[in-house]
Amino acid sequence: MADQEQEDRTEQPSEKRIREAREKGDLPRSRDLSGSMVVLAAVATLISTGHDAMEHARTIYRLGLSYSREALFAGQLPVHAWYGALHEAVAIVAPIAVATLLAALGAPTLLGGLNFSAEALQPKFERLDPIAGLGKIFAMRGLVELGKSLLKLLMIGGALLILIHSWQPEIMETGRGVVGAGIAQSLGLLGRAGLIFGVMLGLIGGVDAIWQRFDYTRRQRMTKQELRDEHKESDGSPELKGRIRQVQQQMSRRRMMQELPKADVVIVNPTHFAVALQYDDGRMRAPKVIAKGVDVLAQQIRLVAASHRIPLVEAPPLARALYATTDIGREVPASLYVAVAQVLAYVYQVKQAVTHGMTPPEPPRPEVDPDLMGPYRDN
């Protein structure tokens, strides 16, 4: 069943999937790569600082064997020797400790980056299940780990056996000469062996790092259904987005109808389109569209305008052009200034005529560029 489920995971992991895995502490890691870098750093530091380390070791040796009669009877000799030996020991160990610490931090950074996960620190008692552990042994990852262990045993063990056989004369010479020279020669042999051991482990670690990266990506792959579910979760389902748009439209229409009584004129066409304009020459550079609609919404605009005694002017081309070019809350474009000015002048003249009992003027027929009507040119 697990193999079948893995075969269904054909899609590359999303950023959200990778982020959730990192939060759980699941990152590509290679213990072999980390171990090899630590060993190489320790051996390389030991070889490069070997001469200084020998001097510090001689100093420790002298502190325990060379002292004056006065120092012996003063009672401070043990404390003096202890502090001196500690100082020299720190000088020997410090470069190696710093190098191995940097290597231990650098290896995870190269492969998966540094990461802290509180969830990974929580105890998981299911890991103590012996049946599940037995299943992991025969799983793909278990077989790969077994193969790596056998490969390390063969490569590193074989290399060290070859070295011991080829270095046999040098090893035998270490006990026949001067003590200092024998110690130096022994340390040199150990350093070279450690360096070869680190290089062999590094080769295995490099191969393991490639495998761990591949295996991590394989384990994080997703099925098509999981990818669709994630997109729905992040973007919202089409039904939810449609409902949100519907609510937004209702709220926008409600605000529009609340602003409609402030209009100075409503330009209609005569049944399909309705556009309400507001103009205050003291505050506005140009007239502003505060409401617009087609069909049923246009009818509602006309009813509200009639109830508030807002003039309605029939100018079909201008109504279509305003609807096509100007959003609610925007000023009319400069290309429609003249046409809109004619309508506003007409409204003003009608008000004056009614006030003074005069005959109202004829409604204007403003000319509009047909291209400004956009898709409503033939409506």
Side-chain angles (χ1 to χ4, degrees):
M1 291 294 292
D3 294 339
Q4 180 63 36
E5 182 181 357
Q6 190 62 44
E7 290 178 0
D8 295 337
R9 299 180 180 275
T10 57
E11 305 302 315
Q12 291 298 318
S14 63
E15 293 183 3
K16 182 175 181 293
R17 178 84 167 216
I18 297 297
R19 184 173 63 254
E20 290 176 348
R22 291 181 65 89
E23 292 174 355
K24 296 177 181 178
D26 188 4
L27 284 85
R29 288 287 186 256
S30 173
R31 290 192 296 269
D32 293 326
L33 180 63
S34 300
S36 65
M37 291 188 66
V38 170
V39 171
L40 286 172
V43 173
T45 304
L46 185 60
I47 292 175
S48 61
T49 61
H51 183 269
D52 295 335
M54 286 292 295
E55 292 300 325
H56 291 302
R58 288 193 180 96
T59 301
I60 295 174
Y61 182 74
R62 286 196 297 268
L63 287 172
L65 297 178
S66 61
Y67 45 85
S68 63
R69 184 175 182 275
E70 291 78 9
L72 178 63
F73 286 99
Q76 298 181 353
L77 178 62
V79 176
H80 173 72
W82 188 83
Y83 275 111
L86 180 62
H87 180 270
E88 297 299 328
V90 169
I92 295 173
V93 175
I96 302 174
V98 172
T100 53
L101 177 62
L102 293 177
L105 294 176
T109 304
L110 290 176
L111 188 56
L114 295 177
N115 182 63
F116 176 78
S117 173
E119 185 174 348
L121 300 177
Q122 298 176 0
K124 296 182 178 180
F125 297 101
E126 61 269 16
R127 294 179 178 176
L128 302 178
D129 186 357
I131 298 178
L134 186 62
K136 291 180 180 179
I137 295 177
F138 297 100
M140 176 62 71
R141 297 187 67 186
L143 295 176
V144 170
E145 293 297 327
L146 177 61
K148 287 192 301 181
S149 300
L150 294 176
L151 183 62
K152 284 188 285 187
L153 177 62
L154 292 175
M155 292 181 62
I156 297 174
L160 292 180
L161 286 176
I162 293 173
L163 290 178
I164 291 175
H165 183 268
S166 60
W167 290 351
Q168 186 175 359
E170 298 180 50
I171 296 174
M172 298 301 295
E173 287 293 329
T174 57
R176 297 175 182 173
V178 181
V179 174
I183 293 175
Q185 189 174 7
S186 298
L187 292 177
L189 291 173
L190 289 175
R192 286 154 62 188
L195 186 61
I196 293 174
F197 171 76
V199 170
M200 300 297 292
L201 192 60
L203 293 175
I204 299 173
V207 176
D208 182 59
I210 296 174
W211 159 255
Q212 293 295 342
R213 172 69 70 176
F214 167 78
D215 183 60
Y216 177 78
T217 304
R218 181 182 65 86
R219 288 187 288 107
Q220 298 301 326
R221 282 203 299 252
M222 308 170 66
T223 64
K224 289 183 170 59
Q225 184 60 42
E226 288 176 338
L227 204 58
R228 286 193 293 267
D229 292 343
E230 185 177 293
H231 287 165
K232 285 184 179 180
E233 182 180 349
S234 59
D235 299 336
S237 64
E239 295 80 6
L240 178 60
K241 290 195 292 184
R243 177 58 182 167
I244 292 174
R245 283 195 300 268
Q246 183 180 2
V247 172
Q248 290 174 341
Q249 290 173 357
Q250 291 175 352
M251 294 176 63
S252 177
R253 290 178 181 177
R254 190 177 300 114
R255 288 193 300 267
M256 184 181 70
M257 290 302 182
Q258 291 173 352
E259 293 291 320
L260 185 55
K262 301 178 182 179
D264 294 306
V265 63
V266 175
I267 303 173
V268 297
N269 172 34
T271 56
H272 291 295
F273 292 85
V275 180
L277 299 179
Q278 180 189 18
Y279 181 58
D280 184 349
D281 57 357
R283 296 186 301 108
M284 300 179 183
R285 296 178 305 173
K288 181 174 66 173
V289 173
I290 62 173
K292 67 176 185 177
V294 294
D295 298 331
V296 176
L297 186 56
Q299 182 66 28
Q300 294 176 357
I301 292 174
R302 284 193 293 271
L303 292 175
V304 174
S307 64
H308 288 83
R309 297 183 179 180
I310 300 172
L312 276 70
V313 177
E314 290 190 14
L318 180 57
R320 294 197 295 267
L322 286 171
Y323 188 88
T325 60
T326 312
D327 293 329
I328 296 175
R330 300 287 185 178
E331 295 179 351
V332 300
S335 56
L336 295 176
Y337 279 179
V338 175
V340 171
Q342 293 176 8
V343 173
L344 291 175
Y346 166 73
V347 172
Y348 176 77
Q349 292 171 1
V350 169
K351 289 181 179 180
Q352 291 295 321
V354 172
T355 302
H356 297 89
M358 300 172 59
T359 303
E362 292 291 329
R365 296 182 179 275
E367 295 183 0
V368 176
D369 184 355
D371 292 336
L372 297 176
M373 303 178 195
Y376 312 108
R377 186 169 181 172
D378 298 328
N379 289 66

